[in-house]
């Protein structure tokens, strides 16, 4: 049974049972505590928690998920994958334990001919929470399971919480017994891989508080509406139904594994270590493709870092399989073919997605090449020092700074006949992970508990009137001070205010929040920010500047009209720039993020190389031509399917509801899904001035522009500068570039003459410097300051000349100088001095310590520096003293 067929059977079954079928949400969640949708329940959290009323009594879905906390287990077990699909059925106060158990048993054990999954009851086991007698008895009543195959387990496996105050409850898990060939007898309680968990039924029935850990909390009481949250692992059911040993051999994953086998020339099933690598490649390529399809791009932080890590682990595994060159072109194309039936976007958008993958592969292959050179040097230095072990710090530096995988380090080092101090490396890795975890915990701790908005959201969605009105009368529904509900806020306090209606735009879609005030009888509130803490609810962060505000009072939101007008200009200009980019570069230049505020726009787009000045000018001209043509801006509200059929562009990773707002500028020329505020016609944008273009990653570029009056002011400032230059240089505007180039050439020529004169002057001082040589222990030393010098290279040149003049007897030269306002010391030693124990690197480092800086280098020539020019005499004297002791 194919994976897609299993999913369809599941959805068909629950649709017949009256469930609303909900499409999968993006892998990119809008929950600030999560990077990705890590479980099927994530999109339903607002409904399960009661923060937002559920739009349907029951639902079913097939949700895309990414989870990387067990990434090291990928390929080693039959069930661990970073990308997986979670089938779920949900009840929001509709049915509870009896309904969930009935549905699960019926679907699993009904014959395939009747639309079920055809599992034999004798192969199924169930676990329940040890104190949940109700669930235990229902399983006995509703299924054919004998009592010995219903096991009671503790909170660590059979109790669900988010780890935060809110809903919680016991759960019941369903397992498939793979048989005695796969492990020991005894059921799921043995925690053996023989028993594969395929479905988890969560009975969300309690409200908890005072959460001290996953297993320690206080139960406040039962939820007013008990919910059902279930999750069936699609890949797990697929590998069982397809008769293979693990998820990597199912129909959506195995083709990539087979392609890796073909490219490597190695056999699958012949070597355990190679088998793990093949599975890692198959899993990570598919996961990377699915992340790319939801708008994630490789980067060094956040979601992009996870994607980059998956890709680089795949590259590393291919290398360990003997493939040193590029392989992504074939691997990703194979994954596309395996997944496009279930997710058509990976086929229709493959050209864009593959650009990111191929660019990332090329970058990392270069990293591996350079990292190999650094590692080779480290290995050589380790062996030269007579050590048999590369330091853990060096291995960690390669891993952390250069992205060089530890297992490749181990492989190369082993081939060289030495080892790595793995214990020290692991210690450094553990410290890094702990820092990351502490940082994540601190960030999570700063997130507001959204349960405080639950009762406010239950009163209905906040009505946004700002598309047509800049002032709206409403009433105060709620006030929060310090995150705690209160009935009033007084003068000087910062508070959150919730109203029934608002004309103030909440930050979203790249557009920053409106500025403005909220006024009412006896109070005025300055609006500092406007956000949506939970879907459908607008919260205004305000400072009470006059009087006192209380819940239930009438209030009027007043938008700063000038700021709104400028923000609308910037947002419409963003759409124009996007259309101009696509006109110029092609459809591959898709949006990857944006920021719009009054007078300014920033737009990120998919593109792998810098734009030429001519291309930038062309984009700017197309966008301003659209302004000149006074194109009509229209907005329409329609279903998401209608908007897509009309060709509207959606921002990848953005979450859209069933109903969307489509913004047209000039008809289909610019047609995007957008909830932002816009001008009525393109001429109202005024002017677009592209002021910057830069890289924001291997495959993303960024353009920045000023808009409207801000654009005019920038051009006026540039005009004033040009006017000043034409006046100062006494040259017409069109001749300024040539005149400035001429002056630059003259300046460079003069600088060369000055440098030659200074070098000659310094060279003439060499005989006098030689004459200052004094004994220090067993060597002659010249330790002098040259005063102010143009560059450290000049000091080095004089030091080497003096060393040459001192002959073959043991000699050390230490010259100091002030270069650009900072002290520099150059130390040079000859062969005889080094034989006597004088090392330039050691002496330069000591001198630099006196100067308040650092230094070092080779034994023959080294450099040090610092911040304290006045300490140069003491630093040079310190070199003489050090020589006296070291070479005596």
């Amino acid at each position: 049974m194919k994976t897609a067929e299993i999913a369809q059977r599941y959805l068909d079954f629950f649709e017949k049972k009256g469930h609303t079928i909900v499409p999968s949400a993006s892998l990119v969640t809008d929950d600030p505590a999560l990077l990705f949708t890590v479980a099927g329940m994530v999109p339903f959290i607002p409904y399960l928690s009661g923060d937002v009323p559920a739009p349907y009594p029951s639902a079913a879905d097939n949700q895309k998920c990414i989870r990387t906390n067990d990434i090291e287990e990928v390929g080693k077990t039959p069930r661990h994958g970073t990308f997986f699909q979670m089938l779920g059925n949900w009840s929001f106060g509709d049915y509870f334990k009896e309904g969930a158990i009935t549905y699960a048993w019926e679907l699993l054990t009904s014959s395939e001919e009747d639309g079920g999954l055809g599992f034999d009851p004798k192969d199924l086991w169930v676990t329940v929470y040890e104190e949940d007698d109700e669930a235990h008895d229902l399983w006995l009543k509703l299924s054919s399971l004998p009592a010995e195959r219903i096991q009671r387990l503790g909170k660590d496996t059979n109790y669900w919480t988010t780890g935060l105050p809110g809903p919680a409850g016991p759960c019941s898990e369903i397992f498939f017994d793979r048989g005695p060939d796969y492990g020991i007898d005894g059921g799921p309680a043995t925690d053996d891989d023989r028993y594969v968990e395929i479905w988890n039924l969560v009975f969300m029935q309690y409200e908890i508080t005072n959460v001290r850990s996953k297993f320690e909390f206080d139960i406040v009481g039962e939820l007013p509406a008990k919910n059902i949250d279930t999750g069936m692992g699609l890949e797990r059911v697929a590998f069982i139904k397809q008769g293979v040993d693990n998820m990597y051999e199912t129909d959506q994953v195995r083709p990539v594994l087979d392609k890796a086998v073909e490219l490597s020339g190695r056999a699958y099933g012949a070597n355990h270590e190679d088998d793990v690598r093949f599975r890692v490649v198959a899993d990570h390529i598919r996961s990377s493709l699915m992340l790319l399809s939801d708008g994630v791009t490789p980067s060094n932080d956040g979601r992009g870092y996870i994607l980059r890590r998956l890709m680089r682990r795949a590259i590393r595994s291919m290398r360990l399989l003997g493939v040193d060159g590029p392989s992504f072109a074939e691997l990703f194309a194979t994954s596309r073919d395996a997944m496009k039936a279930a997710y058509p976007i990976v086929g229709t958008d493959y050209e864009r997605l593959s650009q990111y993958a191929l660019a990332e592969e090329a970058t990392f292959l270069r990293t591996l090449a350079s990292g190999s050179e650094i590692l080779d040097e480290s290995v050589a230095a380790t062996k030269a020092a007579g050590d048999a072990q590369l330091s853990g710090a060096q291995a960690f530096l390669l891993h952390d700074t250069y992205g060089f995988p530890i297992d490749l380090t181990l492989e190369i080092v082993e081939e060289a006949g030495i080892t790595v101090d793995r214990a020290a490396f692991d210690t450094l890795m553990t410290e890094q992970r702990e820092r990351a975890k502490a940082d994540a915990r601190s960030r999570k701790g700063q997130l507001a508990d959204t349960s405080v908005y639950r009762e406010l959201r239950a009163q209905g969605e906040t009505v946004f009137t700002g598309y047509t009105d800049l002032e709206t009368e409403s009433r105060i529904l709620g006030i929060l001070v310090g995150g705690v509900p209160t009935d009033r806020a007084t003068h000087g306090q910062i508070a959150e205010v919730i109203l029934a209606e608002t004309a103030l735009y909440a930050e979203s879609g790249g557009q920053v929040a409106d500025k403005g005030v909220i006024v009412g009888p006896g109070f005025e509130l300055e609006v500092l920010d406007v956000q949506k803490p939970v879907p459908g609810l607008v919260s205004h962060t305000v400072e009470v500047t006059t009087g006192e505000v209380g819940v239930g009072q009438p209030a009027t939101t007043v938008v700063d009209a000038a700021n709104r007008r400028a923000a609308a200009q910037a947002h419409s200009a963003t759409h124009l720039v996007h259309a101009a980019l696509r006109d110029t570069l092609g459809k591959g230049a898709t949006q990857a993020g944006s920021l719009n505020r009054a007078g300014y726009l920033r737009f990120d787009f998919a593109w792998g190389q810098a734009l030429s000045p001519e291309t930038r000018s062309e984009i700017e001209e197309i966008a301003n031509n659209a302004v000149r043509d006074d194109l009509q801006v229209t907005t329409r509200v329609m279903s998401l399917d209608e908007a897509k059929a009309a060709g509207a562009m959606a921002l990848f990773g953005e979450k859209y509801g069933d109903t969307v707002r489509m913004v047209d500028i000039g008809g289909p020329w610019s047609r995007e899904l957008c909830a932002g505020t816009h001008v009525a016609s393109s001429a109202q944008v005024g002017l677009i001035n592209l002021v910057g273009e830069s890289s924001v990653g291997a495959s993303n570029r960024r353009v920045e522009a000023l808009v409207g009056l801000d654009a005019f002011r920038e051009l006026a400032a540039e005009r004033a500068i040009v006017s000043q230059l034409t006046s100062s240089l006494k040259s017409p505007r069109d001749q300024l570039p040539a005149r400035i180039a001429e002056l630059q050439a003259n300046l460079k020529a003069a600088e060369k003459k000055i440098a030659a004169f200074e070098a000659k002057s310094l060279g003439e001082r060499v005989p006098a410097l030689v004459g200052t040589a004094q004994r220090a222990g067993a060597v002659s030393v010249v330790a002098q300051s040259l005063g102010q010098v143009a560059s450290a290279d000049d000091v080095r040149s004089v030091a080497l000349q003096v060393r040459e003049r001192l002959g073959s007897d043991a000699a050390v030269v230490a010259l100091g100088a002030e270069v650009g306002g900072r002290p520099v010391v150059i130390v040079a030693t000859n062969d005889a001095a080094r034989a006597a124990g004088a090392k330039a690197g050691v002496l330069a480092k000591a001198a630099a310590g006196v100067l308040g800086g650092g230094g070092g280098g080779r034994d023959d020539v080294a450099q040090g520096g610092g911040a304290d020019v006045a300490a140069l005499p003491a630093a040079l004297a310190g070199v003489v003293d050090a020589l006296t002791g070291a070479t005596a």
Side-chain angles (χ1 to χ4, degrees), residues 658-701:
D658 293 334
T659 302
V660 295
R661 182 170 179 260
M662 187 171 75
V663 178
D664 287 357
I665 304 180
W669 184 68
S670 170
R671 178 168 287 168
E672 300 188 34
L673 301 184
C674 180
T677 63
H678 290 273
V679 297
S681 67
S682 62
Q684 293 178 7
V685 169
L687 180 65
I688 301 172
N689 179 11
L690 286 184
V691 294
E693 190 266 342
S694 59
S695 169
V696 283
S699 303
N700 280 342
R701 305 296 297 180

Side-chain angles (χ1 to χ4, degrees), residues 389-470:
Q389 191 174 64
L390 184 74
S391 73
Q394 183 65 24
F396 180 76
L397 176 70
L398 281 161
H399 166 83
D400 193 49
T401 303
Y402 298 100
F404 200 78
I406 181 61
D407 44 6
L408 278 183
T409 298
L410 292 170
E411 179 187 2
I412 293 170
V413 164
E414 183 180 353
E415 290 174 354
I418 61 175
T419 62
V420 174
D421 186 348
R422 187 61 190 266
F425 173 85
D426 289 341
T427 298
L428 291 168
M429 284 296 296
T430 300
E431 291 173 356
Q432 184 192 59
R433 290 192 187 103
E434 290 304 317
R435 288 193 297 271
K437 288 179 181 178
D439 182 52
R441 284 194 296 268
S442 69
R443 290 198 304 270
K444 188 172 182 179
Q446 294 166 7
L447 297 173
D449 180 2
T450 59
S451 63
V452 300
Y453 303 104
R454 188 178 303 160
E455 292 183 6
L456 297 167
R457 180 61 180 82
Q459 299 180 49
E461 290 194 33
T462 307
V463 177
F464 176 61
T465 63
Y467 291 133
T468 56
D469 301 320
L470 295 180

Side-chain angles (χ1 to χ4, degrees), residues 39-40 62 136 149 208 373 415 429 489 542 545 551 560 603 643 646 648 677:
N62 179 19
H136 180 273
R149 281 198 275 128
I208 63 171
E373 291 179 7
E415 290 174 354
M429 284 296 296
V542 302
T545 55
V551 173
D560 181 326
F603 187 83
T677 63

Side-chain angles (χ1 to χ4, degrees), residues 293-356:
S293 72
D294 271 353
V296 182
T297 55
S299 68
N300 284 329
D301 54 23
R303 299 181 178 97
Y305 172 74
I306 299 298
L307 173 57
R308 172 162 286 167
R309 185 183 182 200
L310 290 170
M311 288 184 175
R312 293 188 168 189
R313 278 173 58 90
I315 295 168
R316 176 201 68 190
S317 294
M318 288 299 291
R319 181 182 173 112
L320 293 174
L321 288 166
V323 181
D324 292 333
S327 60
F328 273 13
E330 294 178 82
L331 293 172
F332 271 86
T334 302
S335 188
R336 170 203 62 196
D337 294 341
M339 296 300 295
K340 66 183 180 182
Y343 301 98
I345 190 174
V346 303
T348 58
D349 231 32
Y350 183 71
E351 182 180 353
R352 178 183 68 86
L353 308 183
S354 62
Q355 287 177 358
Y356 290 107

Side-chain angles (χ1 to χ4, degrees), residues 10 14 86-90 100 199-202 228-232:
Y10 185 96
F14 281 101
M86 188 62 71
L87 297 161
N89 59 284
W90 314 84
W199 205 339
N200 186 14
L201 314 179
V202 176
I228 288 294
D229 156 14
T230 85
M232 175 191 278

Side-chain angles (χ1 to χ4, degrees), residues 688-719:
I688 301 172
N689 179 11
L690 286 184
V691 294
E693 190 266 342
S694 59
S695 169
V696 283
S699 303
N700 280 342
R701 305 296 297 180
R702 169 175 293 170
V703 292
E704 296 176 87
L706 297 176
V707 181
L709 190 57
D710 288 79
F712 170 77
R713 288 171 178 154
E714 177 70 10
L715 291 173
E718 291 180 357
R719 182 179 62 190

